[in-house]
């Protein structure tokens, strides 16, 4: 009997580990783009609440041709971007911030400008086959949420 209870518990625990709530997505946003610019960047905070390492492998949006994971860093006094084709690793319990001058989603081939105050749907893809839908809030080009002081 004791053995049986133990097995039942394991089944429950395994089932819970695939719950998509393990990755918490917060503060997802992008900048408004000027006319004629066909690329933008997506920013957000990702928190791996689970007990296993997860990998963000990419994202898709039906309003852009492609989305890559990029990292900006200063090299010899100049900001350089590089793609992270292996994806972005999220250790168990880790919080990773995608923010200007650092990690970001490079969104290429926009089908039109991103307008301040709008939201755009984006689907994040993870290495275990999981996908997560999120919404990017489109903020003013300077990155503020559009609260102007007059
Ligand atoms: Cu980039």
């Amino acid at each position: 009997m004791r053995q049986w209870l133990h097995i039942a518990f394991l089944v429950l625990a395994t089932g819970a580990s695939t719950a998509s709530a393990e990755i918490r997505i917060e503060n997802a946003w992008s900048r408004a783009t000027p006319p004629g610019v066909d690329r933008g960047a997506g920013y957000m905070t990702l928190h791996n609440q689970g007990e296993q390492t997860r990998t963000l492998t990419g994202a898709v949006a039906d309003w852009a041709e492609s989305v890559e994971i990029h990292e900006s860093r200063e090299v010899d006094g100049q900001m350089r971007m590089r793609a992270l084709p292996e994806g972005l690793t999220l250790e168990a319990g880790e919080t990773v911030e995608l923010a200007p001058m650092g990690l970001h989603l490079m969104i290429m081939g926009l089908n039109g400008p991103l307008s301040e105050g709008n939201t755009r749907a984006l689907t994040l893809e993870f290495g275990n086959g999981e996908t997560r839908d999120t919404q990017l809030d489109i903020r003013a080009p300077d990155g503020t949420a559009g609260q102007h002081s007059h």
Side-chain angles (χ1 to χ4, degrees):
M1 187 58 184
R2 197 180 176 86
Q3 177 76 15
W4 186 86
L5 278 174
H6 187 65
I7 290 168
F9 175 77
L10 278 179
V11 169
L12 280 173
T14 307
S17 74
T18 60
S20 59
E22 284 194 352
I23 302 290
R24 197 167 75 218
I25 304 165
E26 287 176 334
N27 193 30
W29 66 283
S30 186
R31 291 180 210 275
T33 58
V37 170
D38 76 340
R39 53 175 55 192
Y43 308 110
M44 63 194 66
T45 302
L46 297 172
H47 180 57
N48 182 1
Q49 298 175 295
E51 292 177 354
Q52 283 169 10
T53 300
R54 303 289 298 277
T55 306
L56 176 69
T57 54
V60 289
D62 62 9
W63 42 276
E65 280 171 19
S66 62
V67 182
E68 291 180 357
I69 303 168
H70 280 193
E71 181 178 40
S72 294
R73 57 166 63 184
E74 200 175 304
V75 179
D76 298 331
Q78 289 192 327
M79 287 306 288
R80 297 263 176 82
M81 273 196 316
R82 70 185 183 109
L84 302 180
E86 312 280 282
L88 177 58
T89 302
L90 302 164
E91 303 291 345
E94 188 181 17
T95 298
V96 173
E97 196 152 355
L98 283 69
M101 316 293 278
L103 293 163
H104 56 277
L105 297 178
M106 196 82 227
I107 305 165
M108 290 170 291
L110 298 176
N111 66 3
L114 303 179
S115 306
E116 181 182 350
N118 287 359
T119 60
R120 295 288 185 117
L122 189 78
T123 302
L124 301 180
E125 299 172 323
F126 292 90
N128 64 354
E130 187 188 328
T131 60
R132 286 291 303 280
D133 295 335
T134 189
Q135 298 277 340
L136 298 178
D137 290 327
I138 311 302
R139 297 185 185 168
D142 65 2
T144 64
Q147 300 115 332
H148 303 283
S149 50
H150 292 285

